[in-house]
Amino acid sequence: MTDRSRGDTLASHPTQVKTMTQEQKDFSDLPLNKQLLNALIENGFSKPTPIQSKAIPLVSAGHDLLGIAQTGTGKTAAFVLPLLMKVKYAQGNDPRALILAPTRELAIQIESHAQKLAIYTDLRIASIYGGSGTKLQKEKFEKGVDIIIATPGRFMDFYREQIFITKHIKTLVLDEADRMLTMGFGGQIKKIMEIIPSKRQNLLFSATFPPEVEELSHDFLEFPERVEIAPQATPSAMIEQRTYELPNRRTKINFLQYILEKEEEFSRVLIFCRTKKNASDVHHFIDRKITKASAVIHGNKDQNTRINAVNRFQNGEVQVLVATDVVARGIDIRGVSHVINYDVPHLNEDYVHRIGRTGRADTEGVAITLVMPQEWEKIEEIESVIKQKIPRLDLPSEVNIAPTEKEEAQEIARILDYQKQKRDPSYKGAFHARKEKSGSVPKERKHASKNKSKGRNKRGK
Ligand code: ADP
Ligand code: MG
C-alpha cells in the first residue's frame, strides 16, 4: 500500500520533537478568536498547558498531528480549541468533525469540555456512545450536528442506520489512541477511516506511545507534526507516589480502613481495583465500616448509575469512588486528593493512567499502591516503564496485620515460586516438579515461601 510506505518513511524522519520553550505563552498568543478566549476565561483556564501551546498553532495551520502527553495535561482542549476555530459556526445538517473516544464516559466528558469551550459559538456538538438507548442520541441529529464525539461501535451503528452522512467530515480526532487499541478498536477505526472522506485533517492523541500506536499513526496520519511533551509514560512530578507491602488480602482491607479513617485529608479518594468483584467488595466494605460516603463504577453498572456516581464524587457528596480500569479510563475528575491502587494494575501503562487522576493541572496529589508479596515483580516492571523507583513505606504500626490464611499463603507461595523459576530456569521448585492440583500443596513449600517472602520484604531497604 502506498500509505504504508509513506508512513514508514515518515517514521524514520519524525517532524522534529518539539520541546518546551522558556517563556510560557498566553492563550491570546494562540490563533483563537474572542469567543474562545472568553470561554477560556469563564472556565478559569488562564494559561495554556505545554501541549496546548504546541499543538494549537500546528492544528490551526492544518497539519496532521501526533500528540503524546501524559494524562491530565490538557490534551482535550489542545484539539477542541483549534477544531472549534475550524468548524467555526453551525452549518448544514451533517457533522464536519468526528472525535473518536474509547469509552462512553470519555465521550461524554469530551462533549462537556467542548460544550463549555463553545458557549459563545452556535456550534452543535453531540456525543454518541454504546451502553445506553439510541433514541435520545438520535434526537440530537434532528436539528443538525457540527461535531460528533463517538465511541467507534455506536458511530458505525448510526452510520449504517443513516442517522447522518459522513461526506462532510473534514477532521478526525482519535483521542486516547493507546487505550482504543488495547480495547480492541483497531479494526473498527480502520473501517471508520474507509467511510469518511480521505481528504481530511487527522489528529491522534495518546498518553503513551507503544508500537501499536506508532503503527496506527503510520496508517492514519499524513506527514504529521509530532508534539511530545513529557517522555512517554512519565507520571506528573506533582504526584507523590508510595507503595506499601501488605502480606495478605485481609490486611489490605484493614490498611484501607486505617488510611480512610485516620487521615482526614483523604478528602477525594479514587480507589482502583482490578476486577468488578473487588471493586464491589471494597465499596461494600467502605459502606459498612467507614463514615466517608463511597460509590462504585464498573462495567456492570448501567450508564446512568455511573454518570451519577461520578457527578456525586465531583460535587463532593461522595468522598470515595471505587473503580475498575476500563471504566475509569479517561474520566476527568478534578481535585482528587489521593489515588489508591487497591490492586496493582494488570497493564503497566494503566499505572500511569490511574495515578494521572490526581495531581492534575498544577495541583498536588498522592498515589498509594498496595502491594502483595507476589506483586513486587509487577511493580519492578512498572518502575521500568515510568523510569523511576516508587518509594516504599513501612506499614504504620496501628494497622492490624491479619494472619495469612492457609490457602492464600499457598497461592502466594505458588506464584513466588513460579516467578523464581522464570528468572532462574535451573531452579526447580517442588511445585513445578509435578503437575500441581489447586489446593494440594506439598508441606515443604510453605517453608520455602515464608523464607522467600522474608527475602522480598527486605526489598528496597
Ligand atoms: P488529558 O486529556 O491530557 O488527560 P484533560 O484535557 O482531560 O487532560 O485535562 C485535564 C484537566 O485539566 C481537566 O480538568 C481540564 O479542565 C484541565 N485543564 C486543561 N487545560 C487547562 C488549562 N489551560 N488551565 C487550567 N486547567 C486546564
Ligand atoms: Mg484525554
Side-chain angles (χ1 to χ4, degrees):
M1 227 167 80
T2 51
D3 267 357
R4 264 256 52 109
S5 51
R6 185 198 65 210
D8 287 342
T9 327
L10 272 177
S12 40
H13 305 282
T15 320
Q16 171 192 9
V17 176
K18 308 276 193 272
T19 47
M20 277 187 70
T21 45
Q22 291 302 92
E23 89 283 22
Q24 224 196 344
K25 278 188 179 157
D26 280 318
F27 278 115
S28 55
D29 301 326
L30 298 171
L32 301 171
N33 62 22
K34 196 100 197 104
Q35 285 97 312
L36 295 180
L37 292 175
N38 286 339
L40 285 163
I41 293 167
E42 194 130 319
N43 280 282
F45 287 18
S46 49
K47 291 248 181 210
T49 65
I51 185 108
Q52 291 162 3
S53 300
K54 298 291 173 194
I56 291 170
L58 295 168
V59 178
S60 298
H63 294 289
D64 274 16
L65 184 102
L66 172 62
I68 313 285
Q70 61 206 84
T71 304
T73 51
K75 292 190 288 298
T76 318
F79 61 79
V80 165
L81 287 167
L83 194 59
L84 295 175
M85 283 297 287
K86 182 175 176 182
V87 179
K88 214 157 181 170
Y89 42 78
Q91 202 180 66
N93 273 316
D94 295 293
R96 285 170 291 143
L98 168 62
I99 300 167
L100 291 176
T103 63
R104 42 197 154 181
E105 279 75 18
L106 193 61
I108 292 167
Q109 187 188 301
I110 296 169
E111 187 202 331
S112 98
H113 203 135
Q115 297 283 16
K116 283 182 196 148
L117 296 174
I119 37 170
Y120 296 116
T121 75
D122 64 350
L123 289 167
R124 299 152 306 173
I125 302 168
S127 58
I128 57 175
Y129 39 84
S132 50
T134 55
K135 189 167 170 285
L136 287 176
Q137 294 180 18
K138 282 177 184 167
E139 281 170 11
K140 300 178 184 180
F141 291 86
E142 284 166 10
K143 292 191 192 112
V145 165
D146 301 295
I147 298 174
I148 317 186
I149 298 128
T151 53
R154 182 58 58 101
F155 180 83
M156 285 307 286
D157 291 347
F158 276 26
Y159 168 75
R160 288 194 198 98
E161 285 187 56
Q162 301 183 321
I163 306 300
F164 46 73
I165 57 166
T166 53
K167 73 171 183 196
H168 299 297
I169 294 177
K170 292 278 169 23
T171 313
L172 175 59
V173 183
L174 286 188
D175 194 19
E176 307 259 7
D178 46 0
R179 190 51 161 215
M180 293 257 221
L181 295 178
T182 34
M183 288 176 69
F185 287 132
Q188 271 179 331
I189 291 170
K190 290 216 168 81
K191 276 209 193 94
I192 291 172
M193 289 192 229
E194 281 164 22
I195 60 161
I196 62 177
S198 56
K199 205 167 169 303
R200 57 166 197 264
Q201 183 179 19
N202 298 297
L203 312 175
L204 188 155
F205 286 87
S206 192
T208 59
F209 196 57
E212 303 78 46
V213 175
E214 186 169 2
E215 194 181 324
L216 178 70
S217 72
H218 295 163
D219 290 346
F220 174 65
L221 301 171
E222 269 185 57
F223 303 105
E225 294 281 346
R226 179 183 168 127
V227 177
E228 189 168 2
I229 294 304
Q232 49 171 306
T234 310
S236 154
M238 304 293 284
I239 305 170
E240 183 202 328
Q241 303 174 64
R242 306 177 197 156
T243 60
Y244 292 91
E245 178 169 290
L246 289 305
N248 51 48
R249 286 190 277 270
R250 278 229 61 80
T251 311
K252 261 168 100 162
I253 203 81
N254 292 346
F255 179 61
L256 184 70
Q257 178 170 16
Y258 167 81
I259 50 181
L260 290 181
E261 274 173 352
K262 158 105 186 176
E263 315 276 349
E264 71 283 359
E265 88 269 23
F266 279 55
S267 52
R268 192 175 281 181
V269 186
L270 190 51
I271 299 179
F272 283 99
C273 295
R274 204 183 287 167
T275 62
K276 292 170 199 172
K277 180 174 185 311
N278 281 7
S280 289
D281 289 352
V282 166
H283 166 63
H284 287 133
F285 176 85
I286 297 170
D287 248 15
R288 284 199 318 271
K289 299 270 175 124
I290 292 165
T291 50
K292 291 187 167 99
S294 84
V296 63
I297 50 171
H298 59 58
N300 284 354
K301 301 280 173 185
D302 71 48
Q303 173 66 3
N304 288 339
T305 313
R306 293 198 220 161
I307 294 174
N308 196 282
V310 172
N311 286 344
R312 288 192 302 149
F313 186 62
Q314 194 88 72
N315 69 26
E317 227 176 284
V318 159
Q319 290 101 57
V320 184
L321 184 65
V322 187
T324 54
D325 287 296
V326 171
V327 166
R329 166 68 188 212
I331 290 180
D332 173 34
I333 296 154
R334 286 210 213 191
V336 171
S337 62
H338 296 76
V339 166
I340 298 176
N341 294 315
Y342 188 76
D343 298 312
V344 175
H346 226 29
L347 300 172
N348 297 334
E349 283 167 10
D350 275 336
Y351 179 80
V352 182
H353 292 298
R354 286 179 175 193
I355 72 169
R357 306 293 117 202
T358 184
R360 314 201 93 191
D362 293 343
T363 57
E364 285 177 28
V366 179
I368 295 174
T369 304
L370 279 52
V371 187
M372 303 266 287
Q374 71 276 27
E375 290 174 320
W376 286 113
E377 184 174 75
K378 197 82 199 145
I379 295 295
E380 284 164 16
E381 280 176 28
I382 290 168
E383 288 176 332
S384 76
V385 168
I386 63 175
K387 299 188 183 74
Q388 51 183 275
K389 286 267 170 217
I390 309 169
R392 175 171 168 184
L393 276 66
D394 288 328
L395 284 182
S397 55
E398 298 96 318
V399 176
N400 175 12
I401 298 182
T404 310
E405 281 170 25
K406 192 169 156 212
E407 236 174 67
E408 192 180 5
Q410 290 169 351
E411 183 193 326
I412 294 173
R414 193 157 36 228
I415 298 170
L416 287 173
D417 203 26
Y418 170 74
Q419 290 173 354
K420 185 157 181 193
Q421 202 183 34
K422 223 171 36 176
R423 280 194 302 272
D424 172 13
S426 68
Y427 170 77
K428 293 263 180 286
F431 246 76
H432 295 277
R434 70 199 79 175
K435 192 118 184 124
E436 80 205 41
K437 291 191 202 89
S438 65
S440 73
V441 179
K443 256 202 180 114
E444 64 272 22
R445 293 309 317 147
K446 275 198 294 185
H447 286 285
S449 82
K450 255 187 209 152
N451 294 339
K452 246 189 311 274
S453 39
K454 255 191 213 143
R456 298 296 268 178
N457 276 337
K458 294 202 187 87
R459 180 195 169 276
K461 288 197 200 160

